[in-house]
Amino acid sequence: MHQTIFDCERMKYTNTGLYYFCLNLGRALQQNISQGKLSVFMPSHVPSTFGPSVPTLPQHSLQKFFMPSVNQYHLWHCTYQSSNYLPRRNRKIKVLLTIHDLNFLYEGKTDRKKARYLTHLQENINRSDAIVCISEFTRNDVLTHCDVGNRAVHVIYNGTNGLPQPILEEKSYRPAVPFLFNIGAVTRKKNQHRILPLLQSNPSMELVLAGRHEDKAYANFIRQQASDLNVSDRTHLVHEVTEGEKSWYYHNCQALVMPSLAEGFGLPITEAMSVGKPVFLSKHTAMTEIGKDLAFYFQDFDNMHDDFQSGMLHYQKAGSHIREAMKAYSATFNWEDSARKYLDVYQSLLG
């Protein structure tokens, strides 16, 4: 019986895109794979979310240098393209590598840093037997900047994360007036400071920025920009949020605004659409591929007000028609379909 190990090392960072990628894809795989064939590789301090029926191989940092015995496994699914945890010595184990993005190419990093990241990614590609990219944009980046040899390079879209019952807790921030919403790590590639001028031109609106402060200097820069523009009282950085809080903000916001410079997929796009909320995006990297013609786009960052106003007017005039179209489109991204496509790739490697 073929044994597969599903690498969940990035679940050590809760409330992140990679955490929910592993959680939701892992659960869907669990539902679609025969019992006993799937194990998970997880940080030892993180409680397993897959139940007692799924065996766990505990992960810890020393395994970057000395991997545990993995002879019983036939396939290692590495879910993070820059992982340091791969069975490099045991060449009998097939390796599937999921590549989410090459965002480091678009983040203003030095050529030296870009080269270092590309070198490490290439090492992981060299150890892999097949590759899955989460968007056509990412696949094109990989084919342009990496040497994949004769490996198959598949595209499997992420699913839309289901939103639980909306709930704000006692400690949660509750907006006092209509608000714009942005969720994701607070970091320069997310470009969140570009949203602030929309508060100047919409004085009855707030902004809620939810996400881990990966770049604390950038978070402080956002606060300073808000002060300079006299919108500090309507700019709220609420850090990480629970799933219930996230759901509440999606259900109650006026719009999702994502002026990102780099996205491999952009899960908030389909999450917001799942409740029929308008989505305003930049045209960078994978955004147009995922948003398609149901999202609104900023033509540049200097005339965002005009794009926002015209988009909201179109959304309001279209009424229930556009909301239902968004919900239907979001539903086409589901983890069950993603899991079945991954299992097809598993099968192609295991024979």
Short mmCIF file of all heavy atoms in Angstrom, two decimals, residues 244-274:
data_model
loop_
_atom_site.label_atom_id
_atom_site.label_comp_id
_atom_site.label_asym_id
_atom_site.label_seq_id
_atom_site.Cartn_x
_atom_site.Cartn_y
_atom_site.Cartn_z
N GLY A 244 -13.95 33.50 12.86
CA GLY A 244 -15.24 34.16 13.07
C GLY A 244 -15.17 35.65 12.85
O GLY A 244 -16.07 36.26 12.25
N GLU A 245 -14.07 36.27 13.32
CA GLU A 245 -13.88 37.71 13.10
C GLU A 245 -13.69 38.01 11.61
O GLU A 245 -14.30 38.95 11.08
CB GLU A 245 -12.65 38.20 13.88
CG GLU A 245 -12.84 38.23 15.39
CD GLU A 245 -11.54 38.55 16.11
OE1 GLU A 245 -10.49 37.95 15.75
OE2 GLU A 245 -11.57 39.37 17.03
N LYS A 246 -12.87 37.21 10.97
CA LYS A 246 -12.65 37.40 9.52
C LYS A 246 -13.97 37.33 8.77
O LYS A 246 -14.26 38.16 7.90
CB LYS A 246 -11.68 36.33 8.99
CG LYS A 246 -11.43 36.43 7.49
CD LYS A 246 -10.46 35.36 7.02
CE LYS A 246 -11.13 34.01 6.85
NZ LYS A 246 -10.26 33.03 6.18
N SER A 247 -14.78 36.35 9.12
CA SER A 247 -16.08 36.18 8.47
C SER A 247 -16.95 37.42 8.69
O SER A 247 -17.63 37.90 7.76
CB SER A 247 -16.77 34.92 9.00
OG SER A 247 -18.01 34.72 8.37
N TRP A 248 -16.93 37.96 9.92
CA TRP A 248 -17.75 39.14 10.22
C TRP A 248 -17.30 40.32 9.37
O TRP A 248 -18.14 41.04 8.80
CB TRP A 248 -17.65 39.50 11.70
CG TRP A 248 -18.67 40.52 12.13
CD1 TRP A 248 -19.90 40.28 12.67
CD2 TRP A 248 -18.54 41.95 12.03
NE1 TRP A 248 -20.56 41.46 12.92
CE2 TRP A 248 -19.75 42.50 12.53
CE3 TRP A 248 -17.54 42.80 11.57
CZ2 TRP A 248 -19.96 43.88 12.57
CZ3 TRP A 248 -17.76 44.17 11.61
CH2 TRP A 248 -18.96 44.70 12.11
N TYR A 249 -15.98 40.52 9.26
CA TYR A 249 -15.48 41.64 8.48
C TYR A 249 -15.83 41.49 7.00
O TYR A 249 -16.20 42.47 6.33
CB TYR A 249 -13.97 41.79 8.66
CG TYR A 249 -13.56 42.26 10.03
CD1 TYR A 249 -12.59 41.58 10.76
CD2 TYR A 249 -14.14 43.39 10.61
CE1 TYR A 249 -12.21 42.01 12.03
CE2 TYR A 249 -13.78 43.82 11.87
CZ TYR A 249 -12.81 43.14 12.58
OH TYR A 249 -12.44 43.56 13.84
N TYR A 250 -15.75 40.27 6.47
CA TYR A 250 -16.17 40.05 5.08
C TYR A 250 -17.66 40.36 4.89
O TYR A 250 -18.06 41.04 3.94
CB TYR A 250 -15.92 38.60 4.66
CG TYR A 250 -14.54 38.30 4.15
CD1 TYR A 250 -13.81 37.22 4.66
CD2 TYR A 250 -13.95 39.05 3.15
CE1 TYR A 250 -12.54 36.91 4.20
CE2 TYR A 250 -12.67 38.75 2.69
CZ TYR A 250 -11.97 37.69 3.21
OH TYR A 250 -10.71 37.39 2.74
N HIS A 251 -18.48 39.85 5.79
CA HIS A 251 -19.93 40.02 5.64
C HIS A 251 -20.37 41.47 5.79
O HIS A 251 -21.42 41.85 5.25
CB HIS A 251 -20.67 39.15 6.68
CG HIS A 251 -20.84 37.73 6.27
ND1 HIS A 251 -19.91 36.76 6.55
CD2 HIS A 251 -21.84 37.10 5.59
CE1 HIS A 251 -20.31 35.59 6.08
NE2 HIS A 251 -21.49 35.77 5.50
N ASN A 252 -19.61 42.28 6.52
CA ASN A 252 -20.06 43.62 6.85
C ASN A 252 -19.29 44.75 6.18
O ASN A 252 -19.67 45.91 6.31
CB ASN A 252 -20.03 43.81 8.37
CG ASN A 252 -21.10 42.99 9.08
OD1 ASN A 252 -22.25 43.37 9.16
ND2 ASN A 252 -20.70 41.82 9.57
N CYS A 253 -18.23 44.42 5.45
CA CYS A 253 -17.46 45.49 4.81
C CYS A 253 -18.19 46.03 3.58
O CYS A 253 -19.10 45.40 3.04
CB CYS A 253 -16.08 44.97 4.40
SG CYS A 253 -16.06 43.77 3.06
N GLN A 254 -17.76 47.20 3.17
CA GLN A 254 -18.26 47.77 1.92
C GLN A 254 -17.58 47.12 0.72
O GLN A 254 -18.20 46.93 -0.32
CB GLN A 254 -18.00 49.28 1.89
CG GLN A 254 -18.73 50.05 2.97
CD GLN A 254 -20.24 49.95 2.82
OE1 GLN A 254 -20.80 50.38 1.83
NE2 GLN A 254 -20.88 49.36 3.81
N ALA A 255 -16.30 46.80 0.89
CA ALA A 255 -15.53 46.19 -0.21
C ALA A 255 -14.22 45.66 0.34
O ALA A 255 -13.72 46.12 1.37
CB ALA A 255 -15.26 47.23 -1.30
N LEU A 256 -13.67 44.68 -0.37
CA LEU A 256 -12.30 44.22 -0.13
C LEU A 256 -11.39 45.02 -1.06
O LEU A 256 -11.67 45.14 -2.26
CB LEU A 256 -12.18 42.73 -0.43
CG LEU A 256 -10.77 42.15 -0.31
CD1 LEU A 256 -10.43 41.87 1.15
CD2 LEU A 256 -10.61 40.87 -1.12
N VAL A 257 -10.30 45.55 -0.51
CA VAL A 257 -9.36 46.34 -1.31
C VAL A 257 -7.98 45.71 -1.19
O VAL A 257 -7.43 45.59 -0.09
CB VAL A 257 -9.33 47.81 -0.84
CG1 VAL A 257 -8.40 48.63 -1.73
CG2 VAL A 257 -10.73 48.41 -0.85
N MET A 258 -7.40 45.28 -2.33
CA MET A 258 -6.10 44.60 -2.36
C MET A 258 -5.20 45.22 -3.43
O MET A 258 -5.16 44.74 -4.56
CB MET A 258 -6.27 43.10 -2.65
CG MET A 258 -6.84 42.28 -1.52
SD MET A 258 -6.96 40.52 -1.97
CE MET A 258 -5.23 40.06 -2.08
N PRO A 259 -4.45 46.26 -3.07
CA PRO A 259 -3.54 46.86 -4.05
C PRO A 259 -2.18 46.16 -4.07
O PRO A 259 -1.13 46.80 -4.23
CB PRO A 259 -3.42 48.30 -3.55
CG PRO A 259 -3.56 48.17 -2.07
CD PRO A 259 -4.49 47.01 -1.81
N SER A 260 -2.17 44.84 -3.93
CA SER A 260 -0.93 44.07 -3.78
C SER A 260 -0.02 44.21 -4.99
O SER A 260 -0.48 44.34 -6.13
CB SER A 260 -1.25 42.59 -3.57
OG SER A 260 -1.98 42.38 -2.39
N LEU A 261 1.28 44.10 -4.71
CA LEU A 261 2.27 44.07 -5.78
C LEU A 261 2.58 42.64 -6.21
O LEU A 261 3.08 42.43 -7.30
CB LEU A 261 3.56 44.75 -5.31
CG LEU A 261 3.43 46.22 -4.91
CD1 LEU A 261 4.76 46.73 -4.37
CD2 LEU A 261 2.97 47.06 -6.09
N ALA A 262 2.28 41.67 -5.34
CA ALA A 262 2.64 40.29 -5.64
C ALA A 262 1.69 39.33 -4.95
O ALA A 262 1.55 39.37 -3.73
CB ALA A 262 4.08 40.00 -5.19
N GLU A 263 1.03 38.50 -5.73
CA GLU A 263 0.15 37.44 -5.22
C GLU A 263 0.29 36.21 -6.13
O GLU A 263 0.24 36.33 -7.35
CB GLU A 263 -1.32 37.87 -5.23
CG GLU A 263 -1.66 39.02 -4.30
CD GLU A 263 -1.68 38.64 -2.83
OE1 GLU A 263 -1.70 37.43 -2.53
OE2 GLU A 263 -1.68 39.56 -1.99
N GLY A 264 0.46 35.04 -5.50
CA GLY A 264 0.49 33.81 -6.29
C GLY A 264 -0.90 33.32 -6.63
O GLY A 264 -1.12 32.60 -7.60
N PHE A 265 -1.89 33.71 -5.81
CA PHE A 265 -3.29 33.36 -6.03
C PHE A 265 -4.18 34.48 -5.49
O PHE A 265 -4.84 35.16 -6.25
CB PHE A 265 -3.62 32.02 -5.33
CG PHE A 265 -5.03 31.55 -5.53
CD1 PHE A 265 -5.37 30.79 -6.64
CD2 PHE A 265 -6.02 31.88 -4.62
CE1 PHE A 265 -6.69 30.36 -6.83
CE2 PHE A 265 -7.34 31.46 -4.80
CZ PHE A 265 -7.67 30.70 -5.91
N GLY A 266 -4.17 34.68 -4.19
CA GLY A 266 -4.98 35.73 -3.58
C GLY A 266 -6.28 35.19 -3.03
O GLY A 266 -7.36 35.50 -3.51
N LEU A 267 -6.18 34.37 -1.96
CA LEU A 267 -7.38 33.77 -1.38
C LEU A 267 -8.46 34.76 -0.95
O LEU A 267 -9.65 34.47 -1.10
CB LEU A 267 -6.99 32.88 -0.19
CG LEU A 267 -6.54 31.47 -0.53
CD1 LEU A 267 -5.99 30.78 0.72
CD2 LEU A 267 -7.68 30.65 -1.11
N PRO A 268 -8.10 35.95 -0.44
CA PRO A 268 -9.17 36.88 -0.07
C PRO A 268 -10.10 37.25 -1.22
O PRO A 268 -11.25 37.61 -1.00
CB PRO A 268 -8.39 38.11 0.44
CG PRO A 268 -7.11 37.55 0.96
CD PRO A 268 -6.78 36.44 0.00
N ILE A 269 -9.61 37.14 -2.46
CA ILE A 269 -10.46 37.47 -3.61
C ILE A 269 -11.68 36.57 -3.64
O ILE A 269 -12.83 37.03 -3.71
CB ILE A 269 -9.66 37.34 -4.93
CG1 ILE A 269 -8.46 38.29 -4.94
CG2 ILE A 269 -10.56 37.59 -6.13
CD1 ILE A 269 -7.50 38.06 -6.10
N THR A 270 -11.46 35.26 -3.60
CA THR A 270 -12.59 34.34 -3.69
C THR A 270 -13.36 34.27 -2.38
O THR A 270 -14.56 33.98 -2.39
CB THR A 270 -12.10 32.94 -4.11
OG1 THR A 270 -11.15 32.44 -3.16
CG2 THR A 270 -11.46 32.97 -5.50
N GLU A 271 -12.69 34.54 -1.25
CA GLU A 271 -13.41 34.57 0.02
C GLU A 271 -14.42 35.71 0.03
O GLU A 271 -15.58 35.52 0.42
CB GLU A 271 -12.41 34.74 1.17
CG GLU A 271 -11.59 33.50 1.46
CD GLU A 271 -10.59 33.72 2.58
OE1 GLU A 271 -10.18 34.86 2.83
OE2 GLU A 271 -10.20 32.71 3.21
N ALA A 272 -14.00 36.90 -0.39
CA ALA A 272 -14.92 38.04 -0.41
C ALA A 272 -16.05 37.80 -1.41
O ALA A 272 -17.22 38.11 -1.14
CB ALA A 272 -14.17 39.32 -0.75
N MET A 273 -15.72 37.24 -2.56
CA MET A 273 -16.75 36.97 -3.56
C MET A 273 -17.76 35.94 -3.07
O MET A 273 -18.91 35.94 -3.50
CB MET A 273 -16.11 36.51 -4.86
CG MET A 273 -15.43 37.60 -5.66
SD MET A 273 -14.88 36.99 -7.27
CE MET A 273 -14.14 38.46 -7.96
N SER A 274 -17.33 35.06 -2.15
CA SER A 274 -18.24 34.02 -1.67
C SER A 274 -19.44 34.59 -0.92
O SER A 274 -20.46 33.92 -0.77
CB SER A 274 -17.49 33.02 -0.78
OG SER A 274 -17.20 33.57 0.50
#
